Amino acid sequence: MTSHAGTRVDPLWWSWEGAHGGWVAAAALNAVRERFSGGAQPVRSLTTHFLAPVRTGTLHFSGTAPATGRRTATCLFTGHQDGEPVLHGSALFGPGRSGPAHEGLPAPDVPGPDDCPPLDLPAELALFARQLEMRPATADLPLAGGPRAQLVAWVRFRDGRALDAAAVTTLADALPPALYARWRTPRPVPTAELTLHFTDALDEEAPRGWALVRISTEHAGGGWAVDGSAVWSAGRRLLATGRQARVVRERPDPGTPGQTAAGTVNS
């Protein structure tokens, strides 16, 4: 195992009761790519299992040197806070090569970002959203009690960063849980596991500006939910697809502490 000096968990990327899961997964990818994989090959997939709350402070990473085969390299990693593991995961890297092309997941036919109104998520639920600009692209809205568990929106970083694999990882988890489109009252729906698969579009120069993000709940029951997501560039080119297992928790009592940056559960 090789140690990483640590990544500061930015308190601006807080979500309900803990550090935003997509941001944490992106930080893990950056740590793995910089320290363990050498950054020589594009990332093809990233899986992160969230074991415990990720708080503000320093998140330390340890990981394996890449297990390299003839076509791919795989790194395993663990994130620690205060000496305790808070996440485990793996990243798969592999070079591009010639092969057939297939566009099996086209972008939804929605208006462009200039024709969509802005959305401001409540800071007490999603402080991280202040780092993003969101514009819903359909009539489905969070906490609107709609008929579908699906949200589609244009999203971009306010700091104008390029949409590389780490940024796309964050965006894949940027929208509220898709069940919010059905509900009128919020409740915590933290991510237990997040997996991203990246397309060859990210082998080229990373796009900038708006991304179109869709998230939908494929199943919910027994206190769990399965969400699927996709991220397209402003030019409607698929950048990544994702799936995540979520814990659907009970609604908190009014006034329950922990919905600010002092909270304890990542989402």
Side-chain angles (χ1 to χ4, degrees):
M1 300 291 283
T2 304
S3 295
H4 183 262
T7 297
R8 175 180 172 269
V9 178
D10 190 339
L12 294 178
W13 283 94
W14 206 260
S15 177
W16 192 298
E17 297 175 338
H20 177 255
W23 185 92
V24 171
L29 174 59
N30 283 333
V32 167
R33 186 162 49 191
E34 292 170 6
R35 294 301 182 101
F36 309 134
S37 76
Q41 297 182 358
V43 61
R44 300 301 171 187
S45 68
L46 174 72
T47 295
T48 307
H49 299 270
F50 297 94
L51 306 178
V54 176
R55 303 179 300 274
T56 54
T58 302
L59 179 60
H60 297 275
F61 290 99
S62 59
T64 63
T68 304
R70 284 181 287 180
R71 295 184 177 87
T72 62
T74 300
C75 296
L76 305 179
F77 60 85
T78 301
H80 308 263
Q81 283 190 318
D82 300 326
E84 296 293 331
V86 293
L87 60 93
H88 287 306
S90 63
L92 175 70
F93 300 87
R97 55 176 56 87
S98 60
H102 174 65
E103 297 291 336
L105 191 62
D109 185 12
V110 296
D114 292 340
D115 297 318
C116 298
L119 171 69
D120 293 322
L121 297 177
E124 64 272 17
L125 300 181
L127 181 63
F128 76 88
R130 299 292 180 89
Q131 312 310 309
L132 304 167
E133 186 176 353
M134 298 185 182
R135 297 190 178 187
T138 69
D140 301 304
L141 298 173
L143 303 179
R148 300 189 300 172
Q150 178 175 281
L151 295 167
V152 182
W154 292 98
V155 187
R156 66 179 173 184
F157 289 91
R158 293 190 183 275
D159 62 11
R161 72 184 67 178
L163 301 182
D164 60 8
V168 169
T169 297
T170 302
L171 292 182
D173 191 36
L175 299 184
L179 286 171
Y180 270 44
R182 296 287 310 276
W183 297 344
R184 293 189 180 276
T185 303
R187 68 171 72 185
V189 190
T191 302
E193 180 267 343
L194 173 65
T195 295
L196 275 297
H197 292 96
F198 305 96
T199 75
D200 63 305
L202 293 174
D203 292 2
E204 306 165 7
E205 183 177 357
R208 292 182 178 272
W210 291 103
L212 184 62
V213 183
R214 181 176 66 196
I215 188 168
S216 59
T217 296
E218 299 173 4
H219 179 79
W224 290 84
V226 178
D227 276 5
S229 59
V231 181
W232 293 269
S233 68
R236 314 289 178 115
R237 190 173 182 187
L238 183 67
L239 303 178
T241 63
R243 289 174 67 85
Q244 56 186 297
R246 295 184 182 270
V247 179
V248 182
R249 289 170 45 193
E250 296 295 328
R251 294 188 183 93
D253 294 330
T256 298
Q259 296 182 17
T260 68
T264 58
V265 177
N266 57 291
S267 174

